[in-house]
Amino acid sequence: MISHFLKFLSFNGTPGEYGSTLWATIYILVIFGVASVAVMLMTYLERKILAHMQIRLGPMRVGPHGLLQPIADALKLLIKEDIVPDGADKFLFWMAPVAVMMTAFTGYLVIPFGKQHAVTNMNIGVLFMLGISSLGVLAVVMAGWSSNSKYALMGGLRSAAQMVSYEVAMGLAVVSALMMTSLATGTGTMSMIGIVESQQQQGSWFIFKFFPVGLIAFVVFAIAMVAETNRAPFDLPEAESELTAGFHTEYSGFRWSLFFLGEYVAMIGVSSIAVTLWLGGWLRPFPNALSGATWDTAFSTAPGILFFVLAAMCFIGFARMPKKPSFKVQSIGLGVFGVVLGMIGAVLLVPMVRVRVADIFWFSAKVGVFMYLYIWYRGTFPRYRFDQLMKVGWKVLLPISLAVLVLVAVIGVRHELLAGLMGVAR
Amino acid sequence: MSIAPLLRKIFLVDLMKGLSITFSHQGPKDCQTEQYPQERPTIADRYRGQPLMKLGENGESLCIGCNLCALACPENLITMKSDRDPVTKKKVMTTYVYDVSRCMFCGLCEEACPTQSLKLGTGYEMALYTRDGMVLDREVLEHRKDPEPYDK
């Protein structure tokens, strides 16, 4: 058993490549758990950051600075009454939230959190991811249709139109990134791990490739990504002021929370695609320019240091808590939380852990930036009107992404020809 | 379309402006929220809150039983009775009932009072579980102190 364990640890690849169902299952369970916790954290951060942007405080009462709020929310949702409308199509009504969750989580099979930290290295990774995430539309339409409610139906229809039209621009932007992977080796790859490796090989994240072109493709993807996940300013399917809650109007309690979970998991999933395609996936900053053992060590201390900073923030909060008996429990809680964070930071500094965790850390950090962007957009932009939405999708993003595609092809061929003429070694 | 607005649109200048505004307002110092039971608002001196009757220096009532406050009240929520003191031949207030549940804190009674006996004070935590508790008599009004602030 232990030898099995050690053998896998020394194997430099994913469980899929190793061919071990057991390890794949363990990875899947870990990813499932971590993604759920990340969603809880995300709901807390979203409420807090959004509140601060609107000059409010956000949750403050449940735990120190509202840190236990997500747990309280989850508990509330679990014990809430679960209502099925009388006229609803019972089977589809049951299936829709499950389908949303399953499509959101299935995409995680191919997300590379690190070179060894993916469930499997599928050779059609990006295609699989995009295909699975488009299935989410079906689930949303299912929810809207089966609820037997006008609001839900309108939300479902809007969602279908929106997600289908933005998928086109998104797909074209992805194709231009995929074409970039073929530059150095001559053959492109759709494997998520292969894409990151080719970025390392070419010595540049694809966002900086052929300077403005890669950036434009990335921007198109970043906009389409927000529309794909039905988030503000493209949150028409669940527009509160127009459709109460859109496609999940009739859902309550646990099933509503499945929708919620699915939405946030999908957000993280789509951000992971963006990070993998354009921002160098799990690669740390400057893996080629600043290579060598010293730099490796320096960069691999980053996760530990981050946790120490978080712990320090907790202690500052602890020191600044009002000195009143009513704040005693909260202060102690914040202190304990800081100690726990500090201990995690200390564990992350152990050399054996440090090496293993660095790539996961850089990947999560990049995804975290996207999560912040999602919240930031929500705090800033008003919702698009439906005709504006369609105009942006079809008349702006689609032509731009087509132009970028052609540009990448032309520049890429020229680049390759020049490289061939000059006899530059590949 | 002239060139400047077009460029502004292409480079999403307006969106960036909006983003920078929300980004710059994230500091917790900008927050306007008051953590109520722990932090308490500063109440202005002339705030019209919980009604009370002021007493003179020797603890005697300042009320002369003129009934002006009851007449001034738009809600007719003050009922008072007065008798003539046989010795001093002055009017003395005997019963005084102030029904806060109907009060809109307009302060007309306070303005009508010639001796400045009746006053709407600065207390503002007047929530109760019963309506009966809101009908205040003379005892309560004269010996009322500001309520113990909630501070747990």
Side-chain angles (χ1 to χ4, degrees):
Chain A
M1 184 68 203
I2 292 167
S3 65
H4 182 83
F5 186 78
L6 290 176
K7 208 170 138 200
F8 177 72
L9 276 188
S10 57
F11 177 73
N12 190 21
T14 61
E17 288 163 320
Y18 187 65
S20 158
T21 324
L22 173 74
W23 274 105
T25 318
I26 292 174
Y27 268 47
I28 288 171
L29 288 178
V30 168
I31 289 175
F32 188 81
V34 171
S36 307
V37 172
V39 169
M40 282 173 97
L41 191 69
M42 173 73 186
T43 58
Y44 170 73
L45 286 178
E46 171 155 25
R47 292 179 66 173
K48 211 67 185 165
I49 295 175
L50 202 59
H52 281 310
M53 281 178 176
Q54 295 165 349
I55 325 189
R56 296 183 287 119
L57 280 174
M60 283 298 274
R61 292 297 163 83
V62 192
H65 287 265
L67 271 168
L68 299 179
Q69 188 72 42
I71 296 168
D73 282 348
L75 270 180
K76 185 210 85 174
L77 283 171
L78 286 180
I79 58 177
K80 229 176 138 178
E81 189 190 357
D82 193 10
I83 302 165
V84 181
D86 213 21
D89 184 327
K90 299 281 177 331
F91 178 67
L92 284 187
F93 195 77
W94 252 111
M95 281 303 293
V98 179
V100 164
M101 261 260 300
M102 277 172 56
T103 51
F105 270 113
T106 310
Y108 279 60
L109 282 182
V110 291
I111 294 178
F113 298 95
K115 188 154 166 44
Q116 303 104 354
H117 302 116
V119 176
T120 182
N121 181 10
M122 204 182 279
N123 56 0
I124 52 157
V126 177
L127 194 64
F128 175 79
M129 190 86 190
L130 287 179
I132 289 293
S133 69
S134 344
L135 269 181
V137 189
L138 183 69
V140 168
V141 174
M142 241 157 81
W145 179 256
S146 66
S147 294
N148 195 19
S149 151
K150 268 76 179 173
Y151 287 134
L153 184 58
M154 288 301 293
L157 290 177
R158 279 185 178 189
S159 175
Q162 174 182 330
M163 286 162 106
V164 168
S165 32
Y166 276 81
E167 215 137 69
V168 182
M170 192 171 169
L172 286 172
V174 168
V175 171
S176 56
L178 291 180
M179 277 162 66
M180 289 176 191
T181 60
S182 68
L183 281 177
T185 47
T187 50
T189 173
M190 272 183 159
S191 146
M192 301 278 267
I193 291 179
I195 290 168
V196 177
E197 277 174 341
S198 83
Q199 292 184 47
Q200 185 169 18
Q201 215 168 19
Q202 298 181 29
S204 138
W205 293 358
F206 284 157
I207 188 175
F208 300 123
K209 198 83 189 168
F210 307 140
F211 173 60
V213 181
L215 184 65
I216 295 169
F218 169 75
V219 169
V220 168
F221 186 89
I223 295 173
M225 174 175 106
V226 179
E228 270 291 297
T229 45
N230 295 332
R231 288 280 300 186
F234 302 104
D235 56 347
L236 289 105
E238 38 199 296
E240 177 105 24
S241 48
E242 299 156 33
L243 299 173
T244 48
F247 58 87
H248 54 57
T249 306
E250 303 294 338
Y251 284 87
S252 59
F254 184 60
R255 264 176 279 186
W256 179 84
S257 66
L258 285 186
F259 269 114
F260 192 75
L261 185 63
E263 185 187 319
Y264 278 79
V265 166
M267 274 159 62
I268 299 176
V270 187
S271 307
S272 309
I273 303 184
V275 167
T276 312
L277 286 178
W278 279 281
L279 296 181
W282 69 81
L283 300 176
R284 68 176 169 78
F286 311 111
N288 297 333
L290 303 178
S291 58
T294 333
W295 282 109
D296 277 343
T297 321
F299 274 104
S300 68
T301 53
I305 290 170
L306 176 82
F307 271 89
F308 280 139
V309 169
L310 286 177
M313 276 165 71
C314 278
F315 290 132
I316 292 172
F318 176 77
R320 283 172 52 182
M321 274 272 185
K323 300 283 174 287
K324 282 184 181 173
S326 54
F327 280 95
K328 203 166 185 180
V329 178
Q330 296 212 346
S331 303
I332 293 171
L334 200 59
V336 171
F337 195 67
V339 170
V340 170
L341 285 178
M343 269 151 67
I344 293 175
V347 170
L348 287 180
L349 281 181
V350 174
M352 224 179 87
V353 181
R354 199 164 69 189
V355 173
R356 200 79 189 165
V357 154
D359 43 6
I360 300 181
F361 169 75
W362 288 113
F363 191 87
S364 325
K366 289 169 188 173
V367 170
V369 170
F370 276 91
M371 293 294 113
Y372 179 77
L373 280 178
Y374 271 117
I375 302 170
W376 195 4
Y377 294 156
R378 190 175 159 194
T380 309
F381 300 137
R383 189 180 306 126
Y384 273 96
R385 223 185 324 141
F386 196 74
D387 62 313
Q388 291 171 334
L389 176 90
M390 286 293 137
K391 199 176 134 197
V392 171
W394 290 106
K395 288 164 102 178
V396 179
L397 289 188
L398 182 62
I400 290 179
S401 57
L402 271 174
V404 166
L405 189 64
V406 173
L407 267 179
V408 170
V410 171
I411 300 177
V413 167
R414 182 175 157 275
H415 179 265
E416 286 296 276
L417 282 179
L418 278 181
L421 283 179
M422 312 277 263
V424 174
R426 278 193 171 136
Chain B
M1 194 185 271
S2 56
I3 195 78
L6 184 70
L7 283 179
R8 202 178 299 154
K9 217 167 189 180
I10 288 175
F11 290 106
L12 308 173
V13 174
D14 296 337
L15 297 189
M16 298 295 173
K17 260 186 202 163
L19 286 175
S20 71
I21 287 176
T22 41
F23 190 80
S24 61
H25 280 84
Q26 274 182 102
K29 287 216 174 75
D30 289 335
C31 250
Q32 302 292 319
T33 313
E34 191 175 61
Q35 292 281 79
Y36 166 57
Q38 286 95 26
E39 289 170 28
R40 310 187 72 79
T42 46
I43 303 294
D45 289 342
R46 294 182 60 185
Y47 181 82
R48 300 196 297 263
Q50 162 176 291
L52 46 95
M53 284 180 110
K54 284 189 283 188
L55 296 175
E57 279 168 17
N58 306 322
E60 83 281 6
S61 175
L62 289 177
C63 184
I64 53 170
C66 64
N67 208 31
L68 281 177
C69 50
L71 290 173
C73 182
E75 290 283 349
N76 294 323
L77 52 81
I78 302 174
T79 36
M80 72 180 299
K81 281 180 189 149
S82 49
D83 262 341
R84 197 165 289 278
D85 191 310
V87 186
T88 56
K89 305 285 188 221
K90 278 184 179 171
K91 258 185 143 185
V92 174
M93 174 252 289
T94 50
T95 51
Y96 194 92
V97 180
Y98 192 110
D99 185 0
V100 190
S101 66
R102 275 154 57 203
C103 183
M104 58 179 174
F105 305 98
C106 61
L108 290 180
C109 50
E110 185 185 6
E111 271 175 45
C113 186
T115 58
Q116 298 181 0
S117 165
L118 187 63
K119 186 181 185 293
L120 294 185
T122 52
Y124 56 91
E125 284 159 325
M126 285 178 285
L128 284 173
Y129 286 103
T130 56
R131 277 184 171 271
D132 302 337
M134 302 199 124
V135 182
L136 310 175
D137 59 4
R138 180 186 177 173
E139 261 326 279
V140 179
L141 288 170
E142 282 183 347
H143 301 289
R144 168 158 249 174
K145 291 197 181 77
D146 278 340
E148 288 290 307
Y150 171 80
D151 188 15
K152 274 183 195 164

